[in-house]
Amino acid sequence: MVQLGGTLLQIAFLLGVVTLVASAWYVKTLDLRFYVGGRRSLMTACGLVLIATATLVQQLMVGNYALEYVARYSSRATEGLYKIAGLWAGMEGSLLFWAAILSIYILLVSYSNRSANRSLMPYVNMVFAVVLLFFLLVIVNFENPFTLLPAGTTIEARGGTGLNPQLTHPAMLIHPPMLYLGYVGFVVPFAFAVAALITNRLDATWIRSTRVWTLWPWLFLGVGVILGGYWAYAELGWGGYWAWDPVENASFLPWLTGTAYLHSVIIQEKKNMLRMWNVILIMITFILTIFGTYLTRSGILSSVHAFASTDLGIWFFGFVVLIIAFCTALLIWRKDELTSTSQLESFTSRESGFLFNNMLFLALTMAILWGTMFPILSEAVRGIQITVGSPYFNRITSPIGMLLLAMIGVGPLLAWRKTSRSTLLRNFKWPVSTGLAAMAVAMFLGVRKFYPALTLGLVVFVFTGIVLEVFHGVTARKRMTGEGTWTALLSMVDKNRTRYGGYIVHIGILLMFIGFAGRAFTKEQDVSLGKGESMVLGGYTFTLDNFYTQQRPTHTAFVADVAVTREHKPVTMLHPERRIYANFEETPNTEVAIYSRPLQDIYAIVGGMNPDTQKIVLKIMLNPLVQMVWIGGFIMMLGTLVTIRPSRAERKLRAAEA
Amino acid sequence: MPKQRRKFVVLIVAFTIVTFGWITIGTGADEVPYVSISHLLSEGHTMVQENFRLGGYVEEGSIVYADDHLTVEFTMLQEDARLKVRFTGLAPDMFKDDAEVIVEGRLQGDLFVANNLMTKCASRYEVDLTEPGIEAHMEI
C-alpha cells in the first residue's frame, strides 16, 4: 500500500513526458486536441504528485515507522504539527515537497489561464513539464521517500528517531514552506518569459500576465528568509540572525535579483524599454533558485544547514548547466527583437533611477555569490580552500546597501524622462535637509560610528520623501474630488496599488535597515557566575538566583534563573535552559531566554556547569533594535499584499466577467 | 551610437569594473585559508594570511577549562599532527572529547589562539544510518 506513493510518482513522470510530446505536436500541427491533451496530462501528473505527497504526510501522521523516511524524521514523541514538518526535514521529503508546490503552482496557473494566453500556454506547459520531470526523476531514482526499512531494524521498534529538537520551533513550521513557495514560484514568470521568447511576443503581455505570480513568490521568499533569521535568533543562541552562511545566501540571492526584476518590469510596462534586461533578470532569478537548491542539497559547501552530502549534486549541476545553455541560446536567437526601441534620455530621470537600482542589486548579488563560491573557486585556482566570512560580506555589502538605501529615496523623487533643475531642487530640498539634520543630531547624541549614522540619515531622507509624496498626492486629490483626508488617501492607494504598496514595502525596508544598524551597538559578555553572584552590563545588573535540573516528558532541562534589575528596580526574570532530549543525548540544546522591547532585546544563554567550582557560564547580550527587523519584515509583507490585491475597479471588472 | 546612449554604456561598463574590483581586490584581508595542521605548522609562517581555519578532532582527555570555565584549552588531532588550541568564550553545545571541531584564529608560537570554535556534525539535521557510531548510539 505504502509503495503506492512511488508508483504514483512514476505515472506522473510518464504523464509529464506525454505533456511534452503532445504540446510539441500541437505547436507543429495546431491541432487543438493535442494542446488540450497535453494540458490535461500535465494537470493529472500534478494531481498525482499531490496525492503522493499527501500519502507521505499521512504516513508521518500515523507513524508508520516501517518507512525509513518516517522512522528518521518522526517519532512517537514528536508532537502533532511537527510530524508534518517531517515532510521537509529530510532530503527525500523536501524534494517531494518541492515537486508538490510546483504542482500547486502549475494547477493554479493552468486554471487561471484556461482561456487566456493561448499562444504562450503550450510553451509554458512544456517548461513546467521539464522542471517537474527533473524533480520526479531525482525523487524516483535516487531519493524515494517511500522506501521501506530493511527488516528487523531497531529504529522501527523504537518508534522512530524523531525530528531534531532544534527544528521543533514554530518558525520551522512556516519558514521552510515559505522558502519553497518562493523558490518554486519563480518558475512561473520564467516559463512565461521563455514562452514569450520562443513565440516572439515580447511586449509587456507576459509581464502583465505574471505580475501576481511574481509578487507572491517574492513575498514568500522574503518572509521565508526573515523567518529563517528569526529562528536562528530565537533558537540557535549565538545572538544574531544572519551569518552569511552559504545556504542563507542561496535563499537571499534570488530574492535580490527578483527584487531587481520587480522594479525593472515597471519600465517595460510604462516605456517598453529594458525588454532584454527583464528576460535576463528572470532567467537569472530562476537559475539561482535551482542553484540554491543545488547548494543546499549537494553538500559541496559546508554549512550549518548541511544535509548529508549525496551524489545528487551532479544531477542538479547538470540541470543548472542545461538551463543556462538553453537560456543563452534563446537570447542569442532573439537578440535583435529584444533590442529596445526607445532610449534613456537623461541621467536624472526615473528610468535611469530604476537602472541604477538594478545595477546595485546585481552588484550585491555578484558580491554575495562571489563570497559564497570563494572556497570552491580558490580551491580550483589556488589549490587551497579559502573561506571569507562575515567580515568580507559586511565590508563588501555595506556600501552597496547604503547606495541602494539612498536609491530607494532618490528614485521616486525623479521625474520620468528628464528632471529639470528646478524640480530637482524642489523635490530634494526637504528630504536632504531632514536627512542631514537627523545625521547631525545622531552624531551629537553620540552615534559616532559611520554606517549607523549614515543609515539613520538615509532612512530619514527616504522617509521624508515618501511622506511628501503621499502628502502632495492626498492634497491634490482632495482639491480635485473634495474628499476627506482619509477617503482621499485610501482611494489614492487603491488607484495605484503598485506604487503605494511599494512605498509601504520601502518603509518596512527602512525599519529593517535601522535594525541592521542597531547591530553595531550590540553589547555582549560571557561570564561565570555562582549562586547569588551578579554581573553588570549596559546599566543592567544580572543576578544568578538559582540553577537546577528539571525532568520533563520529552527532555531533561538545566535551568538558570537570572534576575535582571536596573537601578535596583526589577526588570524581568530570564530562564535560559540547556535541554537534553531523548534520542538526542549527544547534542544538548540551547534554549535562549529573550526579553524583547522595541528598542532593545536582553538575550541570555546558559552554558555548562563547572562541577569543581559550582559555577555556571552565562552569555548575556544586549541587542538594540532587533525588533525593528521583524516589524520591518511584517510591514514589508503588508505592503506587498496591498500591491497584490486588485484595485476596486479591477475587482468590479472581474466580478462583471464572472 | 547616439551620444546619450554611449554615455550610459560607458557608465555601466565603468560601474561593472568598479564593482568587480571592489568585490575581488579587497578579499585578501578577510581570507581565511582552510589548511591542515601539518601544513600550518610547516608552512604557515610563509603565508601572507594571518587567520587560518583548521579542522580536526578533540583529543580525548585533553580538554582543560580555566577556573572560570570561560577559557578552554585542548589538543586538536588531525591524522598524525597535533596542536594545542586555546579558546575564550562559551563553547558550543557539542564540544567534548572526540568531537569534530573547526577552529579559526592565529598561531602564536606553539599555541593556536582561536577566536571561533565550531563543532562540526555532518548529521546535525540528519541521522546518517550508515555511519557506524550512530547506529550504536541509537541502540541505547
Side-chain angles (χ1 to χ4, degrees), chain A residues 570-638:
Chain A
V571 176
T572 186
M573 284 291 287
L574 293 173
H575 307 279
E577 297 181 5
R578 235 168 111 87
R579 294 178 177 176
I580 295 176
Y581 284 83
N583 287 352
F584 293 91
E585 289 86 354
E586 296 288 299
T587 53
N589 222 282
T590 292
E591 204 60 25
V592 186
I594 307 175
Y595 176 72
S596 276
R597 281 293 168 269
L599 292 182
Q600 179 162 269
D601 280 11
I602 303 176
Y603 191 98
I605 309 157
V606 62
M609 186 189 67
N610 185 347
D612 302 331
T613 58
Q614 291 288 308
K615 288 186 176 200
I616 63 168
V617 181
L618 285 171
K619 186 195 212 49
I620 308 278
M621 291 181 96
L622 298 177
N623 293 325
L625 301 170
V626 176
Q627 293 296 311
M628 295 299 147
V629 177
W630 321 132
I631 297 170
F634 186 72
I635 291 176
M636 235 174 102
M637 190 179 85
L638 289 183

Side-chain angles (χ1 to χ4, degrees), chain A residues 73 155 164 385 395 528, chain B residues 26 30 34 68 124 126 138:
Chain A
Y73 299 107
I155 41 173
N164 183 316
Q385 218 188 77
R395 192 170 52 80
S528 175
Chain B
D30 302 321
Y34 197 168
D68 62 1
R124 181 151 186 182
E126 279 214 338
M138 290 177 56

